[in-house]
Amino acid sequence: RPELLIDLADAQIESGDFDGAVVSLNQAREMAASLHDDVLASHAEVAQLKLDYMTVTTDYTDNLRQELDRLIPLFERANDDRGLAKAWTLKALLGVVLCRAADTEMAARKAVGYARDVKDLRLESYNVWWVLASCMLGSATPLQTLKRCAEVEAESSADSRQIEAATLITRGVANGMLGNFDEARKLHEEGRAILADLGLMIMYGATAMGSS
């Protein structure tokens, strides 16, 4: 099914298998075209935008913003909450690239809400990461960041090792800012070990800068 191919492509992107994602997305687009399914084709477009975000070396932000502004209303008209969760996920990533903490948090929280509506724990977990990351992009104090971690754990709809990794790493950053360097390294290493175990190599690599 094309939906499964799109999900496969997304997993391949997160594991760093970009070539595999290209193959999966090409197959999904062909199947969506044969079915004349515009919404399904839009899901493939969102996945392609995410792949481009990871691989395009030139400034991609304007194109990403324009495409998301086009696709979000389409998903709204189709009442497609899963499509909206995916699109707002990329809005959160856009906020990260532009170092806009408030935009990142707003988009990630929207994505979390839509993901919970369709009981998609993977999308929920992914966006909880960006909710926490917005603390580090903005002016949150270490104590506010630790409070946010506790809130995220209390709000999560189910157990998730990815959310556990996100909270461990974020707590590590906060402890480092408080001068608790041994505890910071311990938490950070524990969180990254979970990411490696889950095969989330893009996030694993992105957190390497804090592991020294």
Side-chain angles (χ1 to χ4, degrees):
R1 294 176 57 188
E3 298 95 334
L4 295 178
L5 283 169
I6 294 169
D7 286 345
L8 173 60
D10 195 58
Q12 288 169 321
I13 292 168
E14 287 306 311
S15 69
D17 181 11
F18 300 138
D19 290 340
V22 169
V23 173
S24 298
L25 285 176
N26 285 341
Q27 292 176 351
R29 274 194 292 266
E30 290 174 5
M31 294 177 72
S34 68
L35 295 169
H36 305 288
D37 189 328
D38 292 339
V39 174
L40 187 59
S42 295
H43 275 265
E45 284 188 71
V46 170
Q48 183 66 55
L49 288 171
K50 184 175 180 179
L51 177 61
D52 291 344
Y53 166 86
M54 297 291 184
T55 58
V56 171
T57 56
T58 56
D59 185 3
Y60 184 60
T61 54
D62 286 343
N63 182 70
L64 181 57
R65 184 187 298 108
Q66 291 168 8
E67 288 300 298
L68 290 172
D69 288 344
R70 176 180 64 84
L71 289 164
I72 286 173
L74 186 153
F75 289 129
E76 289 174 338
R77 289 193 297 270
N79 295 314
D80 186 339
D81 286 352
R82 194 157 188 262
L84 285 166
K86 292 178 179 181
W88 279 106
T89 296
L90 289 188
K91 280 278 193 178
L93 291 175
L94 184 60
V96 172
V97 170
L98 298 174
C99 295
R100 294 176 180 170
D103 290 348
T104 299
E105 182 180 2
M106 182 274 291
R109 286 192 179 277
K110 276 183 172 287
V112 166
Y114 286 121
R116 286 175 179 165
D117 287 342
V118 295
K119 296 179 170 55
D120 190 322
L121 182 58
R122 185 182 64 81
L123 269 173
E124 177 186 344
S125 301
Y126 188 85
N127 282 283
V128 163
W129 181 280
W130 299 120
V131 171
L132 293 175
S134 68
C135 294
M136 294 174 276
L137 289 173
S139 58
T141 66
L143 292 179
Q144 288 172 330
T145 299
L146 291 171
K147 182 180 178 182
R148 178 74 58 81
C149 289
E151 291 170 350
V152 158
E153 289 178 324
E155 294 169 358
S156 297
S157 62
D159 290 337
S160 164
R161 295 192 71 209
Q162 187 172 347
I163 291 177
E164 181 185 359
T167 55
L168 284 168
I169 291 169
T170 305
R171 282 193 174 105
V173 172
N175 272 275
M177 294 172 68
L178 290 169
N180 304 325
F181 301 121
D182 289 341
E183 180 68 6
R185 290 190 188 93
K186 175 178 175 291
L187 291 167
H188 195 268
E189 289 169 3
E190 288 176 358
R192 292 191 77 233
I194 292 173
L195 294 178
D197 191 44
L198 293 174
L200 298 172
M201 303 316 294
I202 297 298
M203 283 189 171
Y204 180 80
T207 56
M209 66 182 69
S211 61
S212 58

